[in-house]
Amino acid sequence: MSFPSSSMPAENSIAEACAELICRTAEANAALMRGDIDAYRGLNPHAADYTLMSPFGGRPTHEAELTQERWQAIGRFFANGTFEQEVVQAYASADMVVLAVIERCRVEVGGLPMQDWPLRVTLVYRREDAEWRLAHRHADPLAKGISLEQASVLARGEAL
């Protein structure tokens, strides 16, 4: 994370907010990988216009679609997981923080056996009054990379 060379108080508070969001994001996602949806939601409040572009693709999900029942189902989707976060880049301004991270999870997902789930993730946080809220999450399972041929099969919507 880089900021201009001067150390004006406003720049310090931006850097502090960014560092706090990095920690809070890691703690929230670690809770999610354990299936603790209440801790995730408490640590990671969403903006009313939040969008999720899931690592499984398809149509983006919007905050209005995330009913209490859906949240509970999301909590049951993950179990017994561990979580590590590598910050690739962080961008911050007075009202917005963007984090580009690699999430390294080892977790049971959707009833599948425990396995590694590395994801490339972009998170956009927006300050609303005095609170930082997650406005957007985009994740993909391509952290290890795929070939052009594999990407073309996915782009056509075919099975690998």
Side-chain angles (χ1 to χ4, degrees):
M1 168 174 41
S2 60
F3 295 93
S5 59
S6 68
S7 59
M8 294 171 42
E11 291 170 2
N12 287 339
S13 65
I14 292 170
E16 289 169 8
C18 188
E20 190 272 328
L21 283 171
I22 289 169
C23 291
R24 193 172 88 186
T25 297
E27 189 177 343
N29 287 312
L32 182 60
M33 293 302 103
R34 295 188 307 271
D36 187 350
I37 198 65
D38 293 331
Y40 169 81
R41 292 181 72 191
L43 289 162
N44 213 16
H46 290 178
D49 60 348
Y50 169 77
T51 57
L52 169 64
M53 298 179 93
S54 133
F56 308 114
R59 187 181 67 73
T61 302
H62 299 277
E63 182 65 25
E65 300 167 60
L66 295 172
T67 63
Q68 185 62 26
E69 294 79 24
R70 187 136 181 221
W71 275 117
Q72 294 307 311
I74 291 168
R76 290 187 302 272
F77 194 67
F78 301 98
N80 304 314
T82 60
F83 179 88
E84 293 179 15
Q85 174 178 278
E86 173 191 344
V87 178
V88 176
Q89 189 68 46
Y91 305 94
S93 69
D95 295 316
M96 188 166 290
V97 170
V98 177
L99 304 178
V101 302
I102 305 293
E103 295 179 351
R104 291 187 179 83
C105 309
R106 183 155 181 81
V107 63
E108 298 168 20
V109 176
L112 295 174
M114 178 78 68
Q115 73 173 54
D116 292 335
W117 285 89
L119 300 174
R120 300 181 320 164
V121 179
T122 302
L123 302 156
V124 178
Y125 286 92
R126 184 176 59 228
R127 188 166 54 182
E128 296 178 0
D129 298 319
E131 183 174 38
W132 287 95
R133 294 185 168 267
L134 184 60
H136 178 74
R137 175 183 169 90
H138 182 195
D140 71 50
L142 303 176
K144 293 183 179 182
I146 61 173
S147 70
L148 175 62
E149 291 77 17
Q150 290 169 313
S152 71
V153 169
L154 290 173
R156 291 191 305 269
E158 299 174 5
L160 291 176

